[in-house]
Amino acid sequence: MNEYIDEIIMLANKAEKINDIPVGAIVVKDNTIIGRGFNNRVLTKDPTGHAEINAIKDASTNLGDWRLNGCDLYVTLEPCDMCIEVIKESRIDNIYFLLENKDKHKYNRTNKSTLVCDESVVNNYKEKLSNFFDKNLNR
């Protein structure tokens, strides 16, 4: 589990380096990472360039199928409504996230849960996200 947390934080750092909201995501099947993604909306000028969607696209390409049954999604920030719909369409089994997204509507299915990890990891990510928005609020 720690390797998944390390990976999604590393991917969030990539998003931050390109001045996008620091969110990273992976898709896991049979304990193997099959898809990776990070926010890249600013770089690609694409409003669908969310970490979750990018990870799902990568996983689908690597798996050779749009159906991601038996897969789980790990993401730094609770997915938005758009991503939830893509997650449902791709048939991902479970969603795990580090930080709840208080600005978005809640997805009330039982297959979504917060990742259990060291509190300092969550606090560091929360601070990173807060700093990003403080720095970029007037952009």
Side-chain angles (χ1 to χ4, degrees), residues 1 18 30 38 51 54 57 66-67 74 77 81 84-85 92 99 107-108 110 130:
M1 177 79 67
I18 60 170
D30 299 326
F38 55 90
N54 291 330
K57 286 179 177 180
W66 63 268
R67 295 171 196 89
Y74 293 80
L77 185 63
D81 293 339
I84 288 297
E85 291 306 315
I92 285 177
L99 190 61
Y107 176 56
N108 295 317
T110 57
S130 179

Side-chain angles (χ1 to χ4, degrees), residues 22 47 64 75 97 108 129 135:
V75 61
F97 53 90
N108 295 317
L129 204 57
K135 178 178 151 190

Side-chain angles (χ1 to χ4, degrees), residues 2 8 15 26-28 37 44 48 52 108 112 130 137:
N2 283 340
I8 61 176
I26 58 172
V27 176
V28 175
T44 61
T48 67
E52 300 92 317
N108 295 317
K112 184 178 80 168
S130 179
L137 196 57

Side-chain angles (χ1 to χ4, degrees), residues 107-138:
Y107 176 56
N108 295 317
R109 260 179 54 181
T110 57
N111 71 337
K112 184 178 80 168
S113 58
T114 306
L115 282 167
V116 177
C117 63
D118 188 299
E119 192 173 329
S120 67
V121 173
V122 174
N123 288 336
N124 287 341
Y125 178 69
K126 189 184 295 187
E127 184 177 339
K128 172 191 292 297
L129 204 57
S130 179
N131 289 341
F132 176 84
F133 283 115
D134 288 346
K135 178 178 151 190
N136 293 288
L137 196 57
N138 295 322

Side-chain angles (χ1 to χ4, degrees), residues 6-118:
D6 291 344
E7 186 72 17
I8 61 176
I9 288 175
M10 183 272 299
L11 290 163
N13 290 338
K14 284 185 172 188
E16 185 176 37
K17 285 179 184 169
I18 60 170
N19 289 323
D20 213 319
I21 299 171
V23 178
I26 58 172
V27 176
V28 175
K29 183 175 180 80
D30 299 326
N31 299 315
T32 301
I33 298 172
I34 63 165
R36 291 173 172 81
F38 55 90
N39 276 11
N40 65 356
R41 296 168 310 154
V42 173
L43 182 67
T44 61
K45 297 171 182 45
D46 178 357
T48 67
H50 289 212
E52 300 92 317
I53 292 174
N54 291 330
I56 288 168
K57 286 179 177 180
D58 189 40
S60 295
T61 298
N62 291 332
L63 201 57
D65 196 348
W66 63 268
R67 295 171 196 89
L68 298 178
N69 300 77
C71 294
D72 295 326
L73 177 79
Y74 293 80
V75 61
T76 52
L77 185 63
E78 181 181 15
C80 71
D81 293 339
M82 175 184 68
C83 291
I84 288 297
E85 291 306 315
V86 173
I87 292 163
K88 289 190 315 189
E89 281 296 316
S90 65
R91 302 181 180 171
I92 285 177
D93 290 354
N94 299 293
I95 306 164
Y96 302 99
F97 53 90
L98 280 179
L99 190 61
E100 186 177 278
N101 189 347
K102 297 183 190 288
D103 295 335
K104 300 292 177 184
H105 298 289
K106 299 297 171 235
Y107 176 56
N108 295 317
R109 260 179 54 181
T110 57
N111 71 337
K112 184 178 80 168
S113 58
T114 306
L115 282 167
V116 177
C117 63
D118 188 299

